[in-house]
Amino acid sequence: MTIPNPLLPGFNPDPSVCRVGEDYYLATSTFEYLPGIALYHSRDFATWRQIGNVATRPGQLAVAAVATGGGAWAPTIRHRDGVFYLVITDAFGRGTLLFTATDPAGPWSDGLVFDGIDGIDPDLAWDDDGQAVMTFSGLGVNPALPTFMQHRGLLQAKVDLSTATALEAPRSVWSGVGGQFPEAPHLYHIGQWWYLVIAEGGTERGHSVSVARGPSPAGPFEAAPGTPLLTARGTNRPVQCTGHGDLVQLADGSWRLVLLGVRPRQGAAGFSALGRETFSVPVTWSDDGWPVFEPVPLDPRPGEAAWREDFDGAALGPEWLAVRRLPAELPGAGLAGRASWLELAGDGSTLSDLVPVFLGRRQLNQTATVKALLDVSAGVGGLAVRYDEKFHYAIAAGGGQVTATAHVGDIEQVVSRPWAGDPRAVELEIASRPPEGGFTPSSDQVELAAWAGAERHVIAAFDGRFLSCEVAHSFTGRVVGVFAQQGQVAVDYVDYRGNND
Ligand code: 6LW
């Protein structure tokens, strides 16, 4: 079976994976979105299903007021003696956290804050005596500490997992071959060596995977000849920014690396609509015991991806995200009101606020057409594609108007038209299409439209490049969904069709 790339499309950065028998569990970062820390499962490594999220209850992450870019950064997931361990940084929030579960679908524990670990990208390994060892990047992300925004290279400490306490002052370990931001360490005991796999060069075009090995978890580590062993820097490969890898041995004995990357349209100078996604490559071993990685190919799942949510069930699936609060905390009756509709209530916020009344899912494909049917007879609301509060496009209806808005940094363009159609059933659409060819790269063209019966009225069309990770500079990616701005808004369905044209 072909293993596709991206492995997990849509915003799914900082992947970490573990195998238990024939089952694979993979976790990715979610930043300011809740539920937090997406968890995926596979049996063949090619088909994946989101089985849950780690942070599904208030208090597990402190993202309610976190600045964009903060929140859940870079998990490591491991399994030992029947327990799943997930360590992660809640950046600018609670700090370095330990969550545990016996069923990875949840529930996960409330999360213990590590005492004595000040940094990001924690890794968890056990030495030959069963002592837990945490290796992490010494970038300070606690505004209350003098180390805030300082980078102290990669650090390591033995830790007590029952109390989440460092058992020693963190020691420096090998920190790469000179690229900026040595981070994302993962430590493995393979054969006679302890391998340290890290990222360096920064998460943008300079990103890479570097490798070293040593005789003990603490080193001393010797860099692999020619490391970084994987990078797209300076190339025009279709998958850029490749780095932040985690190794796993598959059930058949072969090895793979999961890592993050982006797929800019029109090459390295282009724009990536979806943000950082999860990719994977096979790993072979050289005669002298170093891992060998191929460059990351682009091989998306063929055909159209489609989903439709009719809000018929009693609960939303784990793919649905809200910003800085859980979907169940959004104002309005949610699924508990009108049967087979979702009810949202405006609370005076807009999409430009830190905490909008917005519920969405990751855009999974380079181009996608998303439609929603709304009842706006008692309010104003619509459909939006969001990077963050500074970068979003939306089409709203209500009060006898439809309004398309592009919000790009500090610049806003608003196009309004009177709307005479029935406000109890307004069908809105956001459709992205491949850009016109030409010298200047773009990601896509985004049309914002409203339907009157069989007639499609395009209210505005905007260049999609402004909703890309290169422009927005968020750690996340596009999330498409519905929002309420004023009064009561009800949503009958959201329908998504995407492809990689
Ligand atoms: C992640 C770190 C990084 O923790 O970005 O730039 C952070 N590097 O490895 C968020 O993805």
Side-chain angles (χ1 to χ4, degrees):
M1 176 175 301
T2 323
I3 297 183
N5 264 324
L7 190 65
L8 292 170
F11 112 71
N12 274 301
D14 311 328
S16 176
V17 65
C18 71
R19 177 174 67 86
V20 184
E22 300 201 330
D23 294 287
Y24 302 96
Y25 299 96
L26 193 155
T28 61
S29 302
T30 44
F31 306 93
E32 65 271 29
Y33 284 96
L34 289 176
I37 318 165
L39 239 250
Y40 299 89
H41 169 254
S42 176
R43 286 219 111 190
D44 58 9
F45 215 81
T47 34
W48 293 82
R49 189 170 70 84
Q50 188 172 355
I51 53 169
N53 295 278
V54 173
T56 55
R57 303 185 300 278
Q60 287 174 294
L61 294 169
V63 299
V66 83
T68 292
W73 286 19
T76 295
I77 185 168
R78 298 291 181 255
H79 179 263
R80 189 178 168 89
D81 298 334
V83 177
F84 288 88
Y85 295 84
L86 188 136
V87 289
I88 192 160
T89 313
D90 181 359
F92 319 129
R94 294 182 72 195
T96 304
L97 300 177
L98 168 67
F99 294 102
T100 54
T102 48
D103 179 352
W108 287 78
S109 63
D110 292 341
L112 293 173
V113 182
F114 273 95
D115 190 15
I117 303 289
D118 170 24
I120 65 165
D121 297 3
D123 173 70
L124 198 54
W126 285 263
D127 72 13
D128 294 339
D129 300 325
Q131 170 62 55
V133 178
M134 179 164 282
T135 312
F136 60 102
S137 158
L139 174 67
V141 290
N142 182 344
L145 294 178
T147 49
F148 186 56
M149 285 297 124
Q150 283 178 31
H151 202 308
R152 293 157 293 147
L154 295 180
L155 302 171
Q156 186 183 79
K158 293 179 179 171
V159 289
D160 176 353
L161 293 178
S162 62
T163 57
T165 308
L167 298 173
E168 56 181 326
R171 299 164 271 107
S172 287
V173 290
W174 182 78
S175 297
V177 290
Q180 66 169 338
F181 297 125
E183 58 195 8
H186 290 300
L187 184 67
Y188 317 87
H189 196 182
I190 302 170
Q192 59 173 316
W193 297 106
W194 288 84
Y195 288 85
L196 187 56
V197 174
I198 72 160
E200 57 179 314
T203 195
E204 300 84 22
R205 297 294 191 264
H207 213 198
S208 66
V209 176
S210 287
V211 179
R213 71 184 181 196
S216 82
F221 292 102
E222 161 209 9
T227 209
L229 299 186
L230 183 152
T231 185
R233 68 172 74 134
T235 73
N236 207 29
R237 289 191 195 125
V239 185
Q240 292 282 318
C241 308
T242 48
H244 203 124
D246 193 13
L247 278 174
V248 63
Q249 187 171 27
L250 305 195
D252 68 2
S254 66
W255 290 81
R256 268 192 109 80
L257 182 81
V258 297
L259 73 172
L260 73 80
V262 303
R263 35 177 171 157
R265 209 189 272 276
Q266 292 174 260
F271 298 90
S272 310
L274 304 173
R276 300 174 304 161
E277 305 173 278
T278 292
F279 293 80
S280 87
V281 282
V283 181
T284 54
W285 295 86
S286 70
D287 289 344
D288 43 3
W290 291 106
V292 178
F293 311 118
E294 297 301 318
V296 183
L298 181 61
D299 195 6
R301 290 179 182 86
E304 192 179 72
W307 57 261
R308 182 182 168 97
E309 175 62 66
D310 282 304
F311 303 110
D312 287 338
L316 291 166
E319 309 87 356
W320 287 93
L321 298 167
V323 186
R324 296 185 174 84
R325 59 183 159 191
L326 291 157
E329 297 174 306
L330 288 168
L335 299 173
R338 189 166 160 187
S340 296
W341 290 65
L342 170 80
E343 291 189 321
L344 298 173
D347 63 357
S349 65
T350 71
L351 289 165
S352 298
D353 287 298
L354 280 185
V355 190
V357 183
F358 172 82
L359 182 72
R361 288 170 60 156
R362 293 165 182 80
Q363 184 176 324
L364 303 174
N365 306 89
Q366 290 286 47
T367 57
T369 297
V370 187
K371 289 185 184 173
L373 187 81
L374 287 95
D375 178 345
V376 292
S377 55
V380 178
L383 189 61
V385 49
R386 176 185 194 277
Y387 244 85
D388 58 31
E389 61 279 1
K390 291 201 160 212
F391 294 88
H392 48 87
Y393 298 167
I395 178 148
Q401 293 202 310
V402 280
T403 302
T405 307
H407 194 98
V408 177
D410 298 323
I411 303 166
E412 190 169 76
Q413 184 169 353
V414 180
V415 182
S416 272
R417 281 212 206 157
W419 193 254
D422 182 354
R424 291 166 302 173
V426 185
E427 191 174 34
L428 302 175
E429 176 183 317
I430 297 183
S432 63
R433 313 205 180 289
E436 303 284 319
F439 179 69
T440 312
S442 178
S443 52
D444 55 347
Q445 182 76 7
V446 180
E447 288 181 358
L448 304 169
W451 288 80
E455 268 175 53
R456 183 172 180 269
H457 296 268
V458 176
I459 310 300
F462 301 119
D463 187 335
R465 86 177 73 170
F466 305 113
L467 294 189
S468 67
C469 58
E470 289 82 3
V471 174
H473 228 272
S474 286
F475 280 141
T476 56
R478 285 193 191 172
V479 177
V480 290
V482 289
F483 67 99
Q485 199 163 305
Q486 282 171 34
Q488 305 295 319
V489 171
V491 187
D492 187 15
Y493 63 79
V494 182
D495 183 274
Y496 174 100
R497 268 152 228 283
N499 62 54
N500 292 302
D501 290 349

